[in-house]
Amino acid sequence: MTVFNRSWRRPGALVTVAAASALGVGLFAGPAVAHTPAWAVTCSEVSVDLVNYTADAENTVTLTVDGKELLPTEKFGGEFHKKIELPEHTKELKLNLVVVDGSGNDGSLNDTKTAPVCEGTEPEPEPSTTPPGEPTPPAEEPKPEPEPSKTTAAAVPSSQPSPAGDDLAETGSSSTTPLIAGAAAVILVAGAGITWAARKRRTVGN
């Protein structure tokens, strides 16, 4: 009876040891395949940390910013650590990290993040509306006020004396006035002489 029990105990012990061994292998193997992709973004740089990848697998990592490659596709083994400086920017940048796990496990990643603008950065100037190659039109100068018309200016009296004829015309006289006055005087004298002669004749006759 004792021999029979011992014969059953040995296979049972072997099974127990084998199960424990398999469990231990599973526990130790679990963390080895727990790939951990991690990355962080600030206003000035990007840090990428990839750990627990299969060393002999063809793992790759790529980083782009606004569609342009900031980190070209790069191969790595069991781990990858890198800090990448961002270009100066006056607006937010869109970053995309792509990790391919060559072992086919769950270590692949396709994630997007945004890099903010650093404090103190001057805003980007507005683009010019003038087509390239054409000179910028000069600023319009104010138009001068029109000068007063010469026809509206007040008449300035002339300093030169006016001709004699003009003065006579203004006073109503002319060059024939003395002649007329002389003729009138002669007629008056003649009339007076005729009257005196007639009176004298009458006196002599009486």
Side-chain angles (χ1 to χ4, degrees):
M1 186 69 175
T2 302
V3 176
F4 180 77
N5 289 337
R6 288 179 179 177
S7 63
W8 276 100
R9 286 176 182 176
R10 288 178 181 176
L14 294 175
V15 171
T16 302
V17 172
S21 300
L23 181 61
V25 171
L27 291 174
F28 284 103
V33 296
H35 309 312
T36 308
W39 66 308
V41 177
T42 66
C43 70
S44 59
E45 67 177 13
V46 182
S47 57
V48 181
D49 295 289
L50 310 174
V51 296
N52 296 332
Y53 281 80
T54 305
D56 56 353
E58 190 173 345
N59 309 310
T60 60
V61 56
T62 307
L63 179 63
T64 59
V65 52
D66 286 345
K68 299 179 181 179
E69 286 188 346
L70 185 62
L71 173 66
T73 302
E74 185 174 336
K75 296 180 181 180
F76 67 96
E79 294 184 0
F80 179 86
H81 303 279
K82 199 164 202 176
K83 288 187 178 181
I84 307 167
E85 185 177 355
L86 291 174
E88 294 184 0
H89 53 282
T90 56
K91 61 180 181 179
E92 293 183 345
L93 300 178
K94 184 179 181 181
L95 296 98
N96 180 235
L97 179 70
V98 178
V99 179
V100 177
D101 183 3
S103 64
N105 294 324
D106 296 333
S108 297
L109 177 69
N110 190 341
D111 193 17
T112 302
K113 291 186 179 182
T114 301
V117 178
C118 295
E119 294 183 1
T121 304
E122 296 183 357
E124 185 176 358
E126 296 182 1
S128 175
T129 57
T130 304
E134 294 186 5
T136 303
E140 184 177 354
E141 297 182 356
K143 296 181 180 179
E145 295 183 0
E147 297 181 357
S149 176
K150 295 181 179 179
T151 58
T152 59
V156 179
S158 175
S159 59
Q160 297 179 357
S162 302
D166 292 344
D167 293 339
L168 294 176
E170 292 178 359
T171 58
S173 300
S174 65
S175 59
T176 60
T177 300
L179 296 178
I180 295 173
V186 171
I187 292 173
L188 290 175
V189 172
I194 293 172
T195 301
W196 178 80
R199 286 179 180 180
K200 189 175 181 181
R201 286 178 183 179
R202 290 177 184 176
T203 301
V204 175
N206 290 332

